[in-house]
């Protein structure tokens, strides 16, 4: 051992020397003790890692359990709602609609979750990132060499940092807003287009478009400007604690102008209200949802140049108008194209031999329209709405009988569940949403602004529309339309989609209260209001109206009777009558198995193309076009009838001609005998009745009655 070794071993070792053998044993023992200490440290680290993994597994298991409980909560809510709806229908209770009932159950569960459960988690520590000038959507945090990922939940005001709700269950039942847009809204909007009754819709097409486009824009700007005055008043009285710009007021006007087509449809369909009132309200509410969402997107895109980004700028205004037109037209085109592609696929394939595959393809193509439009920067609501209309008009005719029934029932069930889920969540969100901003002045001002905006929407437009309508929109209809401006799923979904700022949080809270009021009070008062305004009820909107009102009537006699004509043809928009002729002669034969052969409608030089596009079923089927699910509108020249010495056409004119009849412009057959005429009418499966000098032709499928002799 060297002298220096003793010094390193310590003062005791320097006093005396040890034999080399003993010293070696001591040194080896010290090394073993060091190795044992290192081994024990490694074992402790392994135990700590195992404990962390076990804790992580327990947290994941607990999170999974809470997810199951939250979903089970909503399923139980829907189950309870369905059973109560059955009880209400059984007892004929109409003072409360099913959507209002779902909201009440949601409120009850929200109170239980809010005040009946304890906090189960807490913040460990607040980290400061003062060097960063913006918030990041995702953060990677290095904790002792291990990286953890955190996602942004939203901004919290400094005064509420210590009062953030720590109940995990409340977090679980607070859904991502994208769930509403990507999962719940598509079946609701698609069902509205797929179940649209085209006869009543197109009979009032001009009025519906005016209410939906011009009326929604008027309502948006009136509400927005009135709410801007309310915000200025709040600033004066000191009730505005953060920024609230004019564009925010316009955005609120856009989202709150969206009426609820689902609620309106359910109430009027159950009460069987007047078919024209039903068509006006339903058509307006379906389209104004699409207009409202595109209008709100255009307002968000309004970005003036310069330092003041919320001042009026003409260039930015016209740019927003261009964005509105571009988004709406692009979404419309995308929805229509998807429907056309589906129709072509179902026509030129043998999918009808496999109804399950056919239904699955129909479902996926319809739903993908919404996601495709959103991915391309358009609006999925508009796209899926017009996709539903296109699917009902073309693709439905190509489906097998099983697929027709399945698709109708499938989307009806999805629509019912999604609608009630949203309204249940509305009740739940009143207590579980953690960023409510209640402002009495803003809420009262919003109710007044909505009333004035709806009045400016309905009455002036009705006055101008009546100047050009043969059948006027009566005052009772106008009052009912004013009263029935329910707010619902679309307004709620638009409001909850962005709640990051103080202004958006106040909008969401106010929108929620407005939906509650309109569904409970206005929805519950629909029945007495119909009675008070003397509006027809008991009319099934799925059936043709009575013969003296809406059925197709062919009059035989002098000019005074002929002037009465056909109400359906007279009330149908002239633009639609032109479109229908083109659609029946060209688009229907191309996209479906019905309609006249293209070889008879296209020019001779297109003969090869016509043969390729025309389905063989068209040549085999000798019947005229029949639409079993959708309504059918006759146009001028589509029906010409000769009986005896008088010939009567669709416009009521009469004269002396050879006996002839033309159904749907695609086939003309001539004869001089009454038997041939009766047989031809039977080939069209139309109900024929002759009483005196009047022949009435209600357009009903699968009904054939022999012509009766004149009385």
């Amino acid at each position: 051992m060297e002298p220096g070794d003793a010094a390193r071993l310590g003062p005791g070792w320097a006093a005396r020397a040890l034999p080399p053998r003993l010293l070696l044993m001591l040194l080896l023992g010290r090394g073993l003790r060091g190795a044992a200490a290192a081994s024990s440290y490694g074992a402790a680290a392994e135990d700590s890692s195992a404990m962390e993994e076990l804790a992580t597994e327990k947290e994941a298991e607990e999170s999974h359990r809470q997810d199951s409980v939250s979903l089970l909560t909503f399923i139980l809510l829907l189950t309870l709602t369905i059973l109560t709806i059955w009880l209400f229908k059984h007892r004929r209770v109409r003072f409360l609609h099913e959507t209002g009932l779902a909201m009440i159950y949601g409120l009850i569960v929200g109170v239980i979750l809010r005040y009946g459960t304890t906090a189960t988690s807490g913040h460990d520590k607040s980290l400061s990132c003062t060097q960063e000038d913006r918030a990041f959507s995702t953060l990677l945090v290095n904790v002792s060499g291990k990286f953890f990922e955190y996602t942004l939940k939203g901004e919290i005001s400094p005064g509420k940092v210590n009062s953030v709700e720590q109940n995990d269950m409340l977090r679980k039942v607070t859904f991502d807003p994208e769930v509403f847009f990507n999962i719940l809204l598509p079946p609701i909007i698609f069902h509205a287009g797929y179940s649209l009754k085209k006869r009543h819709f197109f009979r009032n097409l001009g009025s519906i478009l005016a209410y939906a486009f011009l009326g929604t824009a008027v309502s948006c700007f009136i509400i927005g400007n009135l709410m801007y005055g309310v915000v200025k008043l709040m600033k004066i009285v000191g009730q505005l604690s953060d920024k609230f710009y004019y564009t925010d007021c316009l955005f609120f006007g856009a989202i709150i102008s969206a009426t609820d087509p689902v609620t309106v449809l359910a109430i009027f369909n159950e009460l069987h209200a007047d078919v024209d009132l039903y068509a006006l309200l339903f058509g307006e509410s379906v389209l104004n949802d699409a207009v409202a969402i595109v209008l709100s997107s255009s307002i968000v895109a309004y970005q003036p140049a310069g330092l003041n980004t919320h001042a009026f700028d003409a260039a930015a205004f016209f740019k927003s108008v261009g964005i509105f037109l571009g988004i709406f037209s692009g979404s419309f085109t995308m929805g229509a194209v998807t429907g056309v592609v589906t129709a072509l696929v179902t026509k030129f394939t043998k999918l009808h031999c496999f109804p399950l595959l056919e239904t699955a393809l129909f479902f996926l193509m319809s739903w993908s329209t919404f996601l495709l439009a959103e991915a391309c920067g358009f609006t999925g609501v508009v796209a899926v709405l017009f996709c539903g209309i296109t699917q009902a008009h073309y693709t439905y005719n190509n489906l097998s009988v099983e697929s027709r029934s399945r698709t109708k029932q499938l989307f009806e069930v999805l629509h019912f569940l999604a609608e009630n889920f949203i309204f249940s969540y509305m009740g739940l969100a009143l207590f579980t949403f953690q960023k409510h901003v209640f402002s009495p002045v803003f809420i009262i001002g919003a109710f007044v602004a909505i009333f004035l905006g709806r009045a400016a929407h309905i009455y002036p437009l009705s006055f101008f529309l009546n100047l050009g309508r043969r059948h006027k929109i009566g005052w009772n209809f106008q009052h009912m339309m004013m009263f029935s401006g329910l707010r619902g799923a679309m307004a709620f979904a638009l409001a909850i989609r962005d709640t990051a700022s103080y202004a958006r949080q106040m909008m969401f809270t106010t929108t929620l209260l407005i939906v509650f009021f309109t569904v409970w009070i206005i929805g519950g008062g629909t029945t007495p209001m119909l009675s008070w305004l003397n509006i027809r009820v008991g009319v099934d909107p799925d059936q043709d109206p009575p013969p003296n009102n809406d059925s197709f009537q062919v009059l035989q006699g002098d000019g005074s009777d002929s002037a009465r004509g056909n109400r359906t043809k007279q009330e149908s928009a002239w633009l639609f009558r032109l479109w229908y002729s083109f659609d029946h002669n060209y688009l229907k034969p191309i996209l479906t198995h019905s309609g006249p052969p293209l070889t008879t409608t296209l020019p001779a030089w297109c003969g090869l193309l016509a043969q390729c596009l025309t389905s063989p079923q068209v040549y085999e089927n000798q019947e005229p076009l029949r639409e079993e699910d959708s309504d059918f509108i006759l146009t001028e020249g589509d029906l010409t009838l000769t009986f005896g010495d008088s010939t009567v056409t669709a416009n009521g004119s009469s004269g002396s001609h050879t006996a002839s009849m033309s159904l749907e412009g695609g086939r003309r057959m001539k004869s001089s005998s009454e038997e041939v005429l009766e047989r031809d009418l039977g080939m069209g499966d139309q109900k024929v009745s002759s009483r005196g000098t009047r022949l009435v032709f209600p357009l009903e499928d699968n009904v054939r009655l022999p012509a009766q002799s004149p009385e």
Side-chain angles (χ1 to χ4, degrees):
M1 183 176 64
E2 301 293 334
D5 295 335
R8 285 194 296 271
L9 289 174
W13 290 100
R16 57 188 176 89
L18 294 176
R21 186 180 183 89
L22 180 60
L23 181 60
L24 179 61
M25 293 175 63
L26 288 173
L27 291 176
L28 289 175
R30 186 177 180 183
L32 290 174
R33 287 194 301 271
S39 176
S40 63
Y41 177 79
E46 291 179 359
D47 292 341
S48 176
S49 178
M51 293 296 292
E52 289 181 1
E53 292 179 358
L54 183 61
T56 302
E57 291 178 0
K58 288 184 177 180
E59 290 180 0
E61 183 179 352
E62 180 67 18
S63 177
H64 173 72
R65 187 188 66 83
Q66 291 178 355
D67 288 337
S68 301
V69 172
S70 63
L71 291 178
L72 179 62
T73 301
F74 284 104
I75 291 177
L76 292 178
L77 275 175
L78 293 176
T79 304
L80 186 60
T81 301
I82 291 173
L83 293 177
T84 313
I85 290 172
W86 168 82
L87 181 62
F88 277 26
K89 290 183 180 295
H90 181 68
R91 299 294 183 181
R92 299 185 182 276
V93 177
R94 289 179 176 173
F95 67 89
L96 183 63
H97 187 251
E98 61 192 46
T99 53
L101 189 65
M103 294 172 70
I104 292 177
Y105 287 144
L107 282 171
I108 295 174
V109 175
V111 171
I112 295 174
L113 292 178
R114 180 74 178 186
Y115 302 106
T117 56
T118 58
T120 55
S121 66
H123 289 296
D124 294 330
K125 185 178 180 181
S126 297
L127 300 179
S128 178
C129 300
T130 56
Q131 297 180 354
E132 302 296 338
D133 57 354
R134 65 184 181 89
F136 297 94
S137 59
T138 304
L139 285 179
L140 291 178
V141 180
N142 186 349
V143 181
S144 301
K146 296 181 179 180
F147 289 89
F148 299 89
E149 181 181 4
Y150 295 85
T151 57
L152 178 67
K153 286 292 185 180
E155 182 182 1
I156 302 174
S157 60
K160 296 183 179 180
V161 171
N162 297 324
S163 61
V164 176
E165 183 59 52
Q166 300 305 310
N167 195 321
D168 283 340
M169 180 55 69
L170 294 183
R171 286 203 184 105
K172 294 296 183 180
V173 297
T174 303
F175 284 92
D176 189 334
E178 295 303 318
V179 172
F180 292 97
F181 264 79
N182 295 331
I183 297 179
L184 298 178
L185 273 186
I188 293 177
I189 302 300
F190 181 85
H191 180 265
Y194 195 51
S195 62
L196 183 68
K197 301 302 175 183
K198 292 190 287 295
R199 167 175 294 181
H200 309 307
F201 180 83
F202 288 110
R203 177 182 299 159
N204 300 278
L205 181 62
S207 301
I208 290 173
L209 292 177
Y211 286 128
F213 285 86
L214 186 58
T216 304
V218 169
S219 176
C220 168
F221 283 98
I222 288 180
I223 295 175
N225 284 279
L226 290 176
M227 293 311 299
Y228 188 64
V230 172
V231 168
K232 289 294 185 182
L233 177 62
M234 292 174 60
K235 188 175 182 180
I236 293 174
V237 299
Q239 292 192 8
L240 194 66
S241 59
D242 208 337
K243 297 178 181 179
F244 208 120
Y245 298 106
Y246 178 67
T247 51
D248 294 327
C249 296
L250 288 180
F251 179 81
F252 177 73
I255 65 175
I256 209 65
S257 295
T259 57
D260 185 9
V262 178
T263 306
V264 172
L265 171 64
I267 292 175
F268 282 84
N269 194 35
E270 182 180 355
L271 297 176
H272 304 301
D274 186 279
V275 289
D276 287 326
L277 176 63
Y278 176 88
L280 288 172
L281 277 172
F282 179 64
E284 177 225 347
S285 57
V286 166
L287 290 181
N288 91 330
D289 273 3
V291 174
I293 191 172
V294 179
L295 191 60
S296 62
S297 301
S298 303
I299 293 173
V300 172
Y302 177 80
Q303 295 180 349
L307 298 177
N308 191 355
T309 58
H310 294 275
F312 178 77
D313 187 358
F317 172 77
F318 286 108
K319 180 181 178 181
S320 296
V321 173
I323 291 175
F324 173 86
L325 297 176
I327 292 178
F328 195 93
S329 59
S331 304
F332 165 78
T333 303
M334 187 166 293
V337 167
T338 306
V340 167
V341 170
T342 310
L344 290 174
V345 171
T346 54
K347 176 184 177 180
F348 291 104
T349 61
K350 297 292 186 178
L351 276 174
H352 65 272
C353 299
F354 306 94
L356 179 61
L357 300 180
E358 191 178 37
T359 304
L361 178 68
F362 183 92
F363 175 80
L364 294 176
M365 292 291 290
S366 301
W367 202 305
S368 64
T369 304
F370 183 92
L371 302 177
L372 179 63
E374 292 289 335
C376 294
F378 297 109
T379 301
V381 171
V382 180
V384 79
L385 171 64
F386 288 100
C387 175
I389 296 175
T390 307
Q391 300 278 44
H393 192 58
Y394 297 114
T395 310
Y396 185 87
N397 297 317
N398 299 334
L399 300 179
S400 61
V401 177
E402 294 88 346
S403 296
R404 292 184 184 184
S405 177
R406 286 177 178 176
T407 54
K408 296 288 288 186
Q409 294 176 0
L410 173 63
F411 281 101
E412 186 176 3
V413 170
L414 290 177
H415 146 263
F416 173 81
L417 293 177
E419 172 208 359
N420 284 278
F421 184 94
I422 288 180
F423 280 95
S424 298
Y425 186 81
M426 287 184 196
L428 201 68
L430 186 62
F431 291 97
T432 60
F433 186 70
Q434 303 177 19
K435 301 176 184 178
H436 280 304
V437 177
F438 291 94
S439 174
V441 177
F442 190 86
I443 293 171
I444 295 174
F447 275 99
V448 175
I450 289 172
F451 177 83
L452 296 177
R454 185 68 179 174
H457 174 181
I458 296 298
Y459 295 115
L461 276 181
S462 300
F463 171 78
F464 288 109
L465 289 172
N466 281 336
L467 297 178
R469 284 178 61 97
R470 292 179 179 269
H471 297 269
K472 311 300 181 183
I473 303 175
W475 283 106
N476 57 344
F477 277 25
Q478 296 180 39
H479 295 329
M480 194 67 217
M481 294 179 69
M482 170 70 188
F483 179 80
S484 301
L486 307 178
R487 268 64 177 182
M490 181 57 67
F492 173 79
L494 288 173
I496 200 176
R497 197 173 192 181
D498 183 5
T499 56
S501 64
Y502 168 82
R504 298 298 175 87
Q505 293 167 9
M506 186 182 296
M507 292 181 202
F508 172 72
T509 303
T510 305
T511 301
L512 202 57
L513 296 178
I514 291 172
V515 172
F516 286 165
F517 178 83
T518 56
V519 171
W520 286 340
I521 305 301
I522 297 180
T526 300
T527 303
M529 183 61 67
L530 286 172
S531 177
W532 184 64
L533 293 175
N534 295 322
I535 294 176
R536 268 197 320 160
V537 294
V539 180
D540 190 353
D542 293 330
Q543 301 294 331
D544 286 337
N548 59 349
N549 289 327
D550 299 281
S551 295
F552 184 77
Q553 299 182 2
V554 182
L555 305 178
Q556 179 180 357
D558 55 16
S560 61
D561 291 334
S562 302
R564 298 174 63 179
N566 176 20
R567 180 180 178 185
T568 298
K569 180 183 70 64
Q570 291 173 352
E571 291 188 353
S572 299
W574 65 270
L575 181 61
F576 175 72
R577 294 203 301 270
L578 295 177
W579 156 257
Y580 181 82
S581 177
F582 174 78
D583 173 66
H584 173 63
N585 291 329
Y586 302 104
L587 294 184
K588 279 280 189 175
I590 293 176
L591 301 177
T592 68
H593 299 297
S594 56
L598 290 173
T599 53
T600 62
T601 57
L602 289 178
W605 56 272
C606 298
L608 181 61
L609 179 63
Q611 292 179 3
C612 295
L613 296 178
T614 302
S615 174
Q617 288 87 333
V618 174
Y619 298 102
E620 299 173 0
N621 185 12
Q622 297 299 320
E623 294 183 343
L625 176 64
R626 289 165 46 185
E627 298 185 5
E628 299 174 357
D629 180 66
S630 56
D631 293 319
F632 180 51
I633 300 178
L634 292 178
T635 58
E636 187 172 356
D638 285 340
L639 181 61
T640 303
L641 176 65
T642 298
F643 195 85
D645 296 331
S646 299
T647 300
V648 185
T649 60
N651 57 11
S653 61
S654 60
S656 297
H657 300 281
T658 306
S660 64
M661 181 194 70
S662 173
L663 289 174
E664 304 170 81
R667 176 170 57 91
R668 297 182 181 273
M669 304 180 67
K670 297 183 179 181
S671 175
S672 59
S673 64
E674 182 178 349
E675 291 78 12
V676 175
L677 175 61
E678 181 179 346
R679 185 179 68 250
D680 292 343
L681 289 175
M683 290 178 64
D685 288 336
Q686 306 294 332
K687 187 173 83 172
V688 182
S689 62
S690 172
R691 303 193 182 277
T693 58
R694 175 178 297 178
L695 295 178
V696 182
F697 294 84
L699 297 176
E700 299 179 359
D701 290 338
N702 301 326
V703 179
R704 176 183 176 183
L705 294 177
Q708 301 177 3
S709 59
E711 297 176 350

